[in-house]
Amino acid sequence: EPKKALQVIQRAYAMQPQNTVTLELLARCFLELKQPLKTASVFNELLKIYDRNGDMKNLNRVRSDLQRL
């Protein structure tokens, strides 16, 4: 269930807000809960991290996901 998962993921996010795995899961929860503005916000944070790390594969994937919102 996305709502239950969201509670757990938000605790993980509070401890490690730059963790891309946590952010990816957080975006997925918001997407499942039909919260596009929150999903976009998380995607934008992921874009910054992937850009800073030079991770073009994930940067392009998240950019594509963001455009589909």
Side-chain angles (χ1 to χ4, degrees):
E1 282 192 26
K3 279 188 178 184
K4 289 181 182 179
L6 181 60
Q7 293 172 347
V8 174
I9 295 165
Q10 284 177 322
R11 286 194 298 261
Y13 173 77
M15 292 186 287
Q16 295 183 324
Q18 297 294 307
N19 183 293
T20 57
V21 173
T22 301
L23 288 167
E24 294 273 2
L25 291 171
L26 188 59
R28 184 178 300 167
C29 281
F30 286 140
L31 193 59
E32 291 289 323
L33 292 169
K34 299 185 183 349
Q35 296 184 16
L37 294 178
K38 290 183 180 181
T39 305
S41 177
V42 176
F43 280 161
N44 283 319
E45 186 61 31
L46 281 165
L47 288 173
K48 290 177 193 174
I49 294 169
Y50 289 140
D51 185 46
R52 184 173 57 239
N53 294 340
D55 186 343
M56 297 308 294
K57 178 181 175 184
N58 282 314
L59 180 72
N60 290 331
R61 179 184 52 78
V62 172
R63 190 176 286 144
S64 176
D65 291 344
L66 182 59
Q67 290 174 344
R68 285 188 300 230
L69 282 182

